[in-house]
Each structure stands twice: as C-alpha cells, then as structure tokens.
Amino acid sequence: MAAAPLPRVPVSSSSSAASPASRFFVLRGGAPCRASRCAGVAAAPGWRRRGVQPFPAGSVAARSAGSTPGAVAVDAKVEALLDSVKWDSKGLAVAIAQNVDTGAILMQGFANKEALATTISTRKATFYSRSRSSLWTKGETSMNFINVHDIFLDCDRDSIIYLGKPDGPTCHTGAETCYYSSVFDALQGSKPNQDRQVATTLYSLEDTISRRKEEIVTEGSGKPSWTKKLILDNQLLCSKISEEAGELNQTLLENEDKSRTISEMGDLLYHAMVLLRVKGVKMEEVLEVLRKRFSQSGIEEKASRHKS
C-alpha cells in the first residue's frame, strides 16, 4: 500500500517558483537533492554520537510534479518545528552560518520556512534572497558549500544558526569569512584585511605565531622573539614541549593548585601550536579530527590506527 502523502508547509508567496526546492529529486529514503550536486548531500560523518541522527531521514520530501510552487513536503515533526519559529512580517528570520570547528562566524543572511526546510533536508546552508525573492544555497555557484552539522534556534526562536563546515572561502571576496573588518582597527586608521578574522583567543594566538614565521621569511630573524627562536630551532622546540608536558603532569602527581595547572597547560598549548605551524598544520585540522572521533570510543579509534 502506498504511503500517505506527507503534509505540505505553505511558504511565503514571495518565494519564486524557480527556487532551488523546485529542482529537487528524491534520493533513496525520500531525501531531496539538487541534480547538480546530489553527490554532496551525504550526511556529515562522525559529528554526533553513534546511532543518533540530527534530523529525521527523509523528513523533507521532493515536490511532486503537480504540487504548488513554493511548497515543500515535510513530516509532522519538521512542520511543527518550522511553525515554532517566530518569522517576521515578511516570513523571514536572520540565519547565521558558523564554522563548527573554529567557531568563526562565516556569514549572515535570511531564511524563510522553505529555506530552513531545505537546509534540514540537504545539509547545505540555504537562505532566502530578499533582492531576488528566491531561495539560494551558499556555494551553488562557487561550489564553496557550507555543510551543516546542526541547526540552533535562539531562546526567542527568531534567529537561526547553521553550524557547519565550509568547503572553501565563504565571502565573495575570497576571504574565509565575511567578517574581516575590525571597527577598532578602522578607527585607528588601518584598512580592512581579508586575512583578519573574528577570532577566538586560540585562533588569535595561531595568527600571531603565523605572522612570526612570515617575518622570518621576509625580514630574517630581525627583532628578538621567543616564537621565532622556537621556529628556527627544532631541538629547542621539542625539548620545550617535553618540558612543559612534564610540568603539567607534575601538577596532578603533586596535587598542585588549579592556577598552576592552568598556567602549565597554557605553556604546553602555546609550544605545541608553534610545532603545528612549523609542520604547516592548522589548529582547525586538529579540531576536525577530534570532532570526527566523537562517534567512536577512544579504544576503538586507537585500535583502528594500528590496523591502518
């Protein structure tokens, strides 16, 4: 017996019939996908504990040939979630894309019901263009998609975060994020720098270490710097990492106070990050590995290393 048709969610009348959702076809299990990028819709690996799916499989189904333009078939749970969002008078809510590993804010746009439903289904950050009155998926032209791992609503349910992993630069300028213009830098007369990002403490430190290495290349050893000295001397760097690791261990073995542990961990992290820069490894790559391990036990992960 054929399954009963899924309920349909009406979308703002300003949605274009030529919106991305109108170009869906059905994958196995009912999940929709654009023909042009179907291969990229596979669920992101290892982002959540085994056996737990972030969104119901096939929760948003393809539009049938005779369905009303601007409507996406959804199951009851997704429909209830869409209805719980406090859309504004134009049927929109602010949608922010954030890097799942670095925490960087990538971009901000707007979403309507259909855009959010499409994002839930395809795991590609999808927005509503107010100027074109149609949906658009980030990356549909540049191929720099934002692969969504989870979606969050704020406490008032009137703004959305797409937490995901970008395939490449997010900004149309080629910058990693659209947010690289510091107000305080501008007030001091500095011009916007596309390499400047809204960075947490960890990534500000990584940026400083990177700039010290660049200074060695462009200016020589120049002004004395402990970071430069470490970059130029592998033996010194490795000995300091071993030393700081030992001192961190000591805070546990000798039951030293918490402030000592914090200080030693700061020293170890800094020196380890200098080593990463020497090896050309980004902290984001390390965090991505850790995220992918969330789906398996540490014992299983270590065993798989020996097999490979």
Side-chain angles (χ1 to χ4, degrees):
M1 179 182 295
L6 294 172
R8 297 189 178 276
V9 177
V11 182
S12 171
S13 59
S14 58
S15 296
S16 168
S19 68
S22 67
R23 299 192 289 277
F24 285 156
F25 66 90
V26 181
L27 291 172
R28 181 180 303 173
C33 172
R34 290 174 197 272
S36 62
R37 56 177 173 80
C38 177
V41 177
W47 73 277
R48 189 169 282 197
R49 294 185 184 279
R50 180 178 305 147
V52 179
Q53 295 297 322
F55 309 117
S59 57
V60 183
R63 222 182 261 164
S64 65
S67 65
T68 304
V72 176
V74 300
D75 70 15
K77 289 183 180 180
V78 175
E79 183 175 7
L81 183 144
L82 295 174
D83 286 339
S84 75
V85 177
K86 293 181 181 177
W87 309 103
D88 67 15
S89 60
K90 296 181 180 179
L92 302 175
V94 170
I96 299 166
Q98 182 178 14
N99 189 309
V100 67
D101 289 321
T102 69
I105 302 301
L106 301 174
M107 62 169 289
Q108 180 256 309
F110 291 87
N112 61 3
K113 279 187 176 182
E114 189 176 8
L116 180 54
T118 300
T119 302
I120 290 173
S121 173
T122 65
R123 307 285 186 86
K124 305 291 182 184
T126 302
F127 302 87
Y128 180 81
S129 171
R130 295 174 297 171
S131 60
R132 297 192 302 270
S133 297
S134 64
L135 298 192
W136 66 281
T137 297
K138 172 61 187 171
E140 59 189 7
T141 300
S142 67
M143 303 307 292
N144 292 330
F145 297 105
I146 298 175
N147 304 292
V148 175
H149 290 241
D150 208 342
I151 299 173
F152 287 84
L153 301 175
D154 79 331
C155 57
D156 293 322
R157 303 186 83 81
D158 59 4
S159 66
I160 304 163
I161 290 180
Y162 294 153
L163 189 64
K165 188 72 173 177
D167 283 333
T170 297
C171 186
H172 71 281
T173 63
E176 288 192 33
T177 88
C178 294
Y179 295 91
Y180 55 81
S181 300
S182 165
V183 169
F184 291 112
D185 283 355
L187 292 174
Q188 294 174 4
S190 299
K191 294 182 179 180
N193 177 5
Q194 290 187 12
D195 293 329
R196 174 75 183 270
Q197 296 185 39
V198 181
T200 58
T201 300
L202 189 67
Y203 290 96
S204 294
L205 174 59
E206 183 177 55
D207 181 62
T208 299
I209 294 170
S210 295
R211 282 189 278 112
R212 294 294 177 266
K213 185 174 182 181
E214 291 168 3
E215 289 169 6
I216 293 173
V217 175
T218 58
E219 306 169 9
S221 56
K223 184 179 179 181
S225 161
W226 178 244
T227 300
K228 291 180 183 178
K229 189 172 183 179
L230 292 170
I231 291 172
L232 292 169
D233 190 336
N234 289 349
Q235 289 296 327
L236 174 63
L237 175 56
C238 290
S239 68
K240 287 300 296 181
I241 291 174
S242 297
E243 175 186 331
E244 301 301 345
E247 291 180 355
L248 178 63
N249 289 339
Q250 185 177 333
T251 67
L252 176 63
L253 296 174
E254 298 190 8
N255 196 28
E256 297 181 344
D257 61 43
K258 181 179 177 180
S259 62
R260 178 71 174 170
T261 302
I262 293 170
S263 176
E264 294 302 337
M265 183 60 204
D267 289 342
L268 177 58
L269 183 59
Y270 157 72
H271 287 89
M273 288 180 68
V274 174
L275 186 148
L276 292 181
R277 188 65 192 90
V278 170
K279 294 291 292 180
V281 175
K282 290 185 175 182
M283 180 58 71
E284 180 177 356
E285 296 173 289
V286 176
L287 296 178
E288 183 176 9
V289 168
L290 292 175
R291 171 171 50 81
K292 289 180 178 179
R293 291 178 184 173
F294 290 169
S295 61
Q296 65 180 145
S297 75
I299 295 174
E300 290 175 341
E301 192 279 325
K302 286 183 179 294
S304 67
R305 290 194 214 175
H306 295 307
K307 292 179 181 178
S308 58

